[in-house]
Amino acid sequence: MSEQNRTESEPGTAGPIIAIENLGKKFVVGKTEVYALRNISLTIEKGEIFGIIGRSGAGKSTLVRCINMLEPPTEGRVLFEGRDMGALSKAELNIVRRSMGMIFQQFNLLMQRTALDNVCFPLELSGMSRETARKRAMEMLDLVGLSARAKAYPSQLSGGQKQRVAIARALAPSPKALLCDEATSALDPETTDSILALIRQINREMGITAVVITHEMDVIEKICHKVAIISKGVIAETGRVNQVFFHPKSDIARRLVVPEALHPDKMVVDHLYRLIFDGQSSYEPVLANLILACGQPVNVMYASTRDIGGTAFGQMVLQFPDDPAARQKILDYAAENLIYIEEFSRV
Amino acid sequence: MFNEALVELLWEGTVDTIYMTLVSTFFSYVFGMVMAMVLVITRSDGIRPQPVVFRVLDVLVNLTRSFPFLILMIAVIPFTRWVVGTTIGNNATVVPLVIAAAPFVARLIEQSLLEVDKGVIEAAQSMGASTWQILWKVYLPEARPSLINGSAIAATTILGYSAMSGAVGGGGLGKLAIMYGYNRYQTDIMFATVVLLIVIVQVLQSFGDWATRKSDKRNG
Ligand SMILES: Nc1ncnc2c1ncn2[C@@H]1O[C@H](COP(=O)(O)OP(=O)(O)OP(=O)(O)O)[C@@H](O)[C@H]1O
Ligand SMILES: [Mg+2]
């Protein structure tokens, strides 16, 4: 089966907006040096949603904070629209930061300001007049669907609403990029989906480039065009999301595309294979036809439907028979019928 | 025994005490605020780390705080004379009060400012806020309830100091208590001044609590 093309127009054809070159970050804690990031090089194209995924402590937050110099890198550099962020003066940096909005897991709203005044905040910083700022802030609240709660304080809002206010605040100064550090990790699944949909809408309608940090493959699959997998401070793999999903090259990527319970340290079963097929066709015919055609029993270990960039895919993990000839028969059948299949037990 | 002259005396003492307390609190707050801001932004995880500045100010604040107030008051007499031209009376009391209270107030304010969520500071930095903007638009407003609470604590502590200053030439209720209660054994006057001091503290504290609650938007 070939890689699915995206239905929307291809973003990222306008050239890079963020270029990370051989970036490293060393923390000195007492007398010991900790490398949080090593030799990171990434290019983020204008208009794309770029996901960065990794486990806790992998260095995701450090990386995103290096992009806007909240954390100055100790090696390498970050170019934003071709300008070296590390070479800017404090005042210049503050101006460039206005073109990169940032949202956080904990929302980080000003607790003593109303929703509206929170959105006004970045506009006040740049010296916009009070009336103009309020007007712009109202538009932004409208965009995120919260104009009715303009006068509410953050303590009176739900988590999802707080994140919407934070997004409105990040968008108010008309940024070119939006940096999202685990923006949905504090939210329930439904709210997560609505926030992700909002980020995608902003990306499509306003052409804002988004860098999305997460530890959940779901988030990457739902909205990202490209993904970088980061592990222990280095990039393990990077590419288009469907490419990484179909042909994960690194161990860590292979682990990310299936649930934890199937990881080899949790499961001691031989001859596991991963099957991917068009999610529009239901599971039964695919599996039933395979079994009927090959006359071989298979054991279903896992089956799910994945939503990758808005297209549904079926994914199954199957245990094949011990007999090599029998296995080959199944593989041949899959190849004939354009079912994408790969051995999985070696993860 | 509570004749008109005495009532008059107590009234004047009360007014003097309140005057000294408020004026001293105001100036301690101004100096304390400057010190607290410098401490908060220059600490190692602050927005403008300056280890040397931080250490020096930190030690200075601790040193001043460890001076017993009565000794400090005597020690700064020459300075007091230079500032207000005299060493007795209300205004002369304000000088040592401010010197003694400012470092204490600086610590109170520092604590309040440090309670502000680091994430919010970071968000402001990510939006391109300058150091001043972070101080004025984030630290101070976000810490407001805690700052108000702290200023009530500061005022009551300074009230206590001002009463103590009665022993070495200060005015107000402290002077009355010492003059009549201690030197002339008029326990009724001493008792009256104590009651008045308690009432002032209660009023200050209740007002502080009320204003703190009123200004805090975190509880809906
Ligand atoms: N200020 C710091 N001082 C010292 N070490 C740090 C500092 N910040 C991060 N680190 C270390 O760098 C590594 C990466 O941290 P980082 O916060 O970037 O991870 P993360 O991928 O965002 O994790 P999580 O998913 O838990 O947020 C960790 O080992 C962490 O302990
Ligand atoms: Mg993180």
Side-chain angles (χ1 to χ4, degrees):
Chain A
M1 177 167 153
S2 66
E3 281 175 23
Q4 189 81 10
N5 279 330
R6 282 181 189 267
T7 43
E8 70 228 56
S9 67
E10 281 294 292
T13 42
I17 179 165
I18 298 167
I20 300 170
E21 298 177 347
N22 304 314
L23 182 131
K25 176 71 191 185
K26 178 176 74 179
F27 288 109
V28 181
V29 185
K31 288 218 160 53
T32 54
E33 296 180 344
V34 186
Y35 269 92
L37 297 172
R38 268 178 211 271
N39 205 23
I40 306 269
S41 293
L42 288 176
T43 307
I44 298 168
E45 305 289 333
K46 272 200 189 85
E48 71 187 3
I49 304 185
F50 195 103
I52 297 174
I53 187 170
R55 292 165 169 245
S56 180
K60 307 180 294 289
S61 297
T62 309
L63 178 56
V64 76
R65 291 156 48 84
C66 280
I67 294 178
N68 62 4
M69 298 285 134
L70 279 180
E71 204 76 83
T74 46
E75 282 141 52
R77 47 181 208 159
V78 175
L79 303 179
F80 181 72
E81 297 191 307
R83 299 179 78 185
D84 183 352
M85 293 288 286
L88 301 175
S89 72
K90 246 188 150 60
E92 287 171 325
L93 177 63
N94 281 339
I95 290 171
V96 174
R97 277 176 176 168
R98 290 181 198 148
S99 37
M100 318 178 161
M102 190 168 188
I103 56 174
F104 306 84
Q105 180 173 358
Q106 295 307 327
F107 324 123
N108 295 347
L109 295 177
L110 295 145
M111 298 305 281
Q112 308 291 346
R113 281 185 178 228
T114 61
L116 184 69
D117 287 341
N118 262 284
V119 183
C120 284
F121 180 77
L123 304 172
E124 285 170 25
L125 296 181
S126 55
M128 189 182 276
S129 79
R130 185 134 183 84
E131 298 92 284
T132 327
R134 288 188 146 237
K135 201 162 149 277
R136 169 87 184 149
M138 237 9 235
E139 286 167 21
M140 290 298 109
L141 282 179
D142 209 29
L143 176 84
V144 301
L146 269 183
S147 40
R149 305 302 313 272
K151 288 205 165 64
Y153 285 93
S155 60
Q156 300 163 325
L157 299 173
S158 70
Q161 290 173 328
K162 280 185 215 167
Q163 196 60 292
R164 283 172 186 274
V165 175
I167 291 173
R169 181 174 72 174
L171 293 180
S174 314
K176 292 173 181 152
L178 189 62
L179 309 175
C180 317
D181 188 0
E182 305 264 13
T184 58
S185 298
L187 305 173
D188 63 53
E190 259 175 59
T191 317
T192 292
D193 282 351
S194 75
I195 295 291
L196 292 179
L198 178 61
I199 294 175
R200 184 157 56 181
Q201 179 198 341
I202 289 161
N203 167 261
R204 280 193 191 150
E205 291 174 9
M206 305 165 85
I208 294 175
T209 309
V211 179
V212 173
I213 303 285
T214 182
H215 61 270
E216 291 167 305
M217 194 59 189
D218 257 9
V219 171
I220 301 285
E221 288 171 1
K222 279 183 185 137
I223 62 166
C224 295
H225 305 111
K226 283 202 206 130
V227 62
I229 300 170
I230 181 169
S231 170
K232 301 194 181 91
V234 297
I235 301 284
E237 187 166 342
T238 175
R240 304 198 61 79
V241 173
N242 37 20
Q243 176 196 328
V244 171
F245 179 74
F246 287 118
H247 313 286
K249 291 195 282 282
S250 57
D251 283 355
I252 176 131
R254 275 193 284 264
R255 280 166 161 268
L256 280 170
V257 296
V258 294
E260 190 107 8
L262 288 168
H263 293 170
D265 38 339
K266 305 249 161 65
M267 285 255 302
V268 271
V269 188
D270 280 335
H271 313 311
L272 286 185
Y273 285 79
R274 189 168 157 255
L275 238 80
I276 297 160
F277 52 94
D278 185 352
Q280 309 311 320
S281 56
S282 60
Y283 294 88
E284 290 76 22
V286 175
L287 190 59
N289 292 343
L290 181 141
I291 293 171
L292 285 174
C294 305
Q296 298 295 338
V298 298
N299 191 9
V300 180
M301 310 300 290
Y302 167 75
S304 76
T305 308
R306 315 291 281 181
D307 169 8
I308 302 181
T311 313
F313 289 96
Q315 178 179 225
M316 275 192 279
V317 175
L318 303 175
Q319 188 190 8
F320 285 180
D322 282 336
D323 175 16
R327 288 209 300 277
Q328 194 51 50
K329 203 167 173 185
I330 302 176
L331 293 177
D332 291 344
Y333 171 83
E336 273 165 40
N337 291 277
L338 299 177
I339 296 169
Y340 175 73
I341 196 162
E342 68 170 11
E343 189 166 7
F344 178 66
S345 19
R346 291 273 162 263
V347 173
Chain B
M1 84 182 175
F2 272 86
N3 56 37
E4 247 171 67
L6 247 172
V7 172
E8 176 88 349
L9 212 58
L10 285 171
W11 172 246
E12 261 174 34
T14 306
V15 171
D16 285 355
T17 291
I18 292 175
Y19 168 83
M20 284 188 295
T21 303
L22 293 185
V23 173
S24 308
T25 304
F26 175 78
F27 283 108
S28 314
Y29 216 81
V30 171
F31 293 122
M33 177 64 80
V34 174
M35 288 190 270
M37 282 179 167
V38 173
L39 284 169
V40 166
I41 66 169
T42 58
R43 53 187 283 135
S44 60
D45 59 349
I47 53 176
R48 269 294 183 65
Q50 293 284 346
V52 178
V53 176
F54 178 80
R55 286 300 303 161
V56 169
L57 192 57
D58 195 49
V59 168
L60 204 74
V61 166
N62 283 344
L63 275 182
T64 331
R65 285 199 62 193
S66 47
F67 248 80
F69 176 64
L70 272 182
I71 298 178
L72 182 109
M73 206 171 158
I74 296 163
V76 299
I77 281 177
F79 180 71
T80 305
R81 182 175 292 123
W82 179 73
V83 176
V84 289
T86 171
T87 61
I88 50 167
N90 295 336
N91 290 336
T93 314
V94 167
V95 176
L97 275 179
V98 170
I99 295 174
F104 164 71
V105 174
R107 283 284 182 242
L108 276 177
I109 298 176
E110 184 191 18
Q111 281 314 309
S112 299
L113 298 183
L114 289 177
E115 280 167 25
V116 174
D117 186 358
K118 296 225 55 124
V120 177
I121 305 296
E122 191 155 272
Q125 286 180 302
S126 78
M127 288 180 257
S130 67
T131 305
W132 277 114
Q133 287 175 320
I134 291 176
L135 278 172
W136 291 118
K137 288 180 173 288
V138 184
Y139 269 120
L140 292 186
E142 287 294 292
R144 188 181 54 223
S146 171
L147 288 171
I148 293 174
N149 192 38
S151 60
I153 296 174
T156 50
T157 306
I158 289 170
L159 181 81
Y161 282 171
S162 85
M164 245 190 275
S165 75
V168 284
L173 292 172
K175 183 176 91 180
L176 290 186
I178 297 217
M179 252 169 56
Y180 294 89
Y182 183 73
N183 296 341
R184 299 192 204 164
Y185 303 104
Q186 284 183 284
T187 39
D188 49 350
I189 295 190
M190 177 128 97
F191 183 73
T193 59
V194 169
V195 169
L196 282 169
L197 285 171
I198 291 174
V199 169
I200 299 173
V201 168
Q202 283 302 324
V203 169
L204 275 173
Q205 194 59 56
S206 312
F207 178 75
D209 289 345
W210 172 81
T212 303
R213 246 178 296 122
K214 185 116 176 81
S215 81
D216 197 349
K217 309 299 182 193
R218 278 174 299 186
N219 319 309

